[in-house]
């Protein structure tokens, strides 16, 4: 379980998150919703150690991780698909994918994870030896997600994975992720602009507004609350 | 034997040295976006350490290894102890820091090893070889120089392109933040990058010392020529650095041979300015397109 307790994060004078608490249960998908600038990206960047919180804590299975370096957090099995460009454009597609699993010890399992990634993301297989700079925007997004899955993470942080992806492709990816959630107990934190589709995928949902938690509930129930939807989710 | 051939062979050996120096500079530039002005002084220092070992009775090859290992160590220490703390400072601070390292090493060397000019042995004969009755102005030591620079480059190429460690190092140099998210210990990779680069510089120092003689500033001009080669190659491209370094070697040899050795340095400057006017981002600019 990923637990966030009393998290306050500031960039100099700008307070991006204020006293945010939530718990993200094992084997579930939690959607984080909110307007632009609500603090969604800040939340996942804090979880993965790129941003240091001013106060509060982040715990993975009761272990405090908010003071660890990002690389050590990644090695605990938290994979972060960053917002926008996360691929290493100078490296080939295959090199990008391999990097995802390099910290894991078992080479046979790494090879298997790589093969699975090509299976799921067919357009990448044909381009494996090309530099990632030659990929289209959507293909880069696929690469970024595929690379995170190669790590066989316990926790997956997805910051707007739908960016640039065709609906059908996104559907396939989400089906795969759902499968991992059910079969392997993967824990997912999903940030999405499109609240309606995120709520249809997620089990739980948290709404952020101006750096605070405005609502948190089962995703289905949140989708049914008309007032909330109008105020924060715009549908 | 034609004068042109003599000058070409001459340029090849010197070019290999400049290529090594250029490569060292490019490796550090790629890893940490720092132009390491202390590269030459660091190589000078490790060559003195090799001489120190020789004078204590060590055989040549042991001293050779001493230079390379001290190069590795010195590069790692400079990165860890000096460059790392100012990592996030404006780039100019780091450049001034490397100039500081240059000054300190060049002041320290005469205090530790004496300031007078010393000779440094070569591994093999420096007398030109003979093929039948034909004398070739290319000595066994020239061959060794060329071979060892080439050998080290091939080893580095294999390391960077064929191993997981090399992949991690490249990723760390291209994008530290994304690399961290992938579990790469970026700090270690950068230290290793500096160490390897410094070792390449140390090799150049040991190889050029027999012909330049050893004194605290003997690597200064090698640094300048190596730097010129690196700029010619676009500063961001290892193959560019090697080609640029070789080009400088040939150019200097031709200028010195046909127009007199007084003009060598001026010649290098003219080449640099000319190339930068025609291709401001270096001969290999198309390789250095980066999306930051
Ligand atoms: N590096 C930074 N320096 C200063 N302020 C920042 C920085 N990053 C984010 N902020 C501020 O913190 C607040 C939250 O930003 P954040 O990126 O977390 O929002 P978001 O919910 O991800 O928005 P979006 O939906 O547009 O991606 C914003 O007000 C933003 O301006
Ligand atoms: Mg965001």
């Amino acid at each position: 379980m990923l637990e966030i307790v009393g998290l306050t994060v500031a960039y100099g004078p700008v307070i991006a998150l204020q006293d945010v608490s939530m718990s993200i249960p094992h084997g579930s998908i939690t959607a984080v919703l909110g307007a632009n600038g609500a603090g969604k990206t800040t939340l996942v960047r804090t979880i993965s150690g790129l941003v240091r919180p001013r106060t509060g804590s982040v715990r993975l299975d009761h272990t405090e991780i908010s003071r660890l370096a990002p690389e050590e957090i990644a090695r605990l099995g938290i994979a972060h698909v960053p917002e926008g460009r996360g691929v290493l454009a100078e490296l080939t597609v295959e090199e990008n994918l391999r990097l995802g699993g390099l910290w894991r010890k078992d080479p046979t399992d790494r090879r298997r994870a790589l093969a699975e990634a090509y299976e799921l993301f067919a357009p990448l297989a044909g381009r494996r030896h090309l530099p990632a700079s030659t990929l289209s925007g959507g293909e880069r997004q696929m690469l970024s997600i595929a690379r995170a899955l190669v790590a066989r993470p316990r926790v997956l942080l997805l910051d707007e994975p739908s960016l640039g992806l065709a609906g059908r492709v996104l559907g396939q990816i989400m089906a795969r992720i759902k499968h991992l959630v059910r079969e392997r107990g993967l824990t997912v934190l999903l940030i999405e602009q499109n609240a309606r589709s995120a709520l249809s995928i997620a089990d739980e949902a948290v709404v952020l507004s101006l750096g605070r938690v405005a609502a948190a509930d089962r995703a289905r129930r949140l989708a049914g609350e008309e007032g909330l939807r109008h105020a924060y989710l715009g549908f | 034997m034609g004068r042109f051939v003599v000058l070409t062979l001459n340029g090849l050996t010197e070019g290999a040295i400049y290529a090594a120096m250029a490569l060292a500079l490019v490796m550090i530039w790629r890893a940490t976006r720092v132009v390491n002005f202390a590269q030459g002084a660091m190589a000078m220092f490790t060559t003195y350490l090799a001489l120190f070992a020789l004078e204590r009775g060590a055989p040549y090859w042991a001293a050779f290894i001493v230079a390379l290992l001290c190069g590795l160590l010195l590069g790692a220490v400079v990165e860890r102890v000096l460059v790392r703390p100012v990592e996030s400072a404006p780039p100019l601070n780091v450049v001034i820091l490397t100039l500081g390292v240059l000054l300190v090493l060049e002041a320290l060397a005469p205090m530790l090893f004496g300031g007078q000019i010393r000779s440094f042995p070569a591994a093999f004969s420096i007398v030109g070889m003979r093929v039948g009755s034909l004398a070739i102005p290319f000595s066994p030591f020239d061959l060794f120089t060329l071979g060892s620079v080439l050998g080290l480059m091939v080893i580095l190429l294999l390391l960077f392109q064929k191993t997981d460690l090399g992949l991690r190092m490249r990723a760390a140099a291209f994008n530290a933040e994304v690399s961290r998210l992938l579990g790469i210990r970026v700090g270690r990779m950068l230290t290793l990058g500096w160490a390897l680069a410094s070792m390449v510089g140390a090799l150049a120092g040991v190889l050029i010392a027999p012909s330049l003689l050893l004194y605290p500033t003997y690597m200064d001009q090698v640094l300048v020529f190596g730097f010129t080669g690196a700029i010619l190659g676009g500063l961001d491209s290892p193959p560019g650095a090697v080609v640029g370094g070789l080009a400088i070697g040939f150019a200097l040899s031709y200028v010195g041979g046909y127009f007199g050795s007084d003009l060598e340095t001026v010649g290098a400057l003219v080449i640099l300015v000319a190339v930068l006017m025609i291709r401001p981002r270096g001969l290999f600019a198309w390789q250095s397109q980066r999306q930051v």
Side-chain angles (χ1 to χ4, degrees), chain A residues 11 14 16 35-42 83 160 193:
Chain A
Y11 301 100
V14 182
N36 292 128
K40 307 180 294 295
T41 297
T42 302
E83 188 176 27
E160 304 200 21
Q193 283 300 331

Side-chain angles (χ1 to χ4, degrees), chain B residues 18 191 232:
Chain B
Y18 303 144
T191 305
L232 280 182

Side-chain angles (χ1 to χ4, degrees), chain A residues 131-176:
Chain A
S133 58
T134 63
L135 298 182
S136 74
E139 287 165 345
R140 287 185 193 206
Q141 193 67 12
M142 284 184 215
L143 180 56
S144 193
I145 297 168
R147 191 178 57 190
L149 291 178
V150 167
R152 295 208 195 283
R154 285 199 278 167
V155 176
L156 183 59
L157 310 174
L158 295 169
D159 197 346
E160 304 200 21
S162 62
L163 209 73
L165 283 182
R168 194 176 50 83
V169 178
L170 185 67
Q172 283 170 3
I173 294 173
M174 279 307 162
R176 172 69 185 169

Side-chain angles (χ1 to χ4, degrees), chain A residues 7 13 52 65 92-93 100 125 132 142 168 175 187 194 198-199 224 233:
Chain A
L7 204 64
R52 295 264 160 253
I65 61 166
T92 66
V93 169
M142 284 184 215
R168 194 176 50 83
T187 305
N194 185 338
L199 286 175
L233 307 178

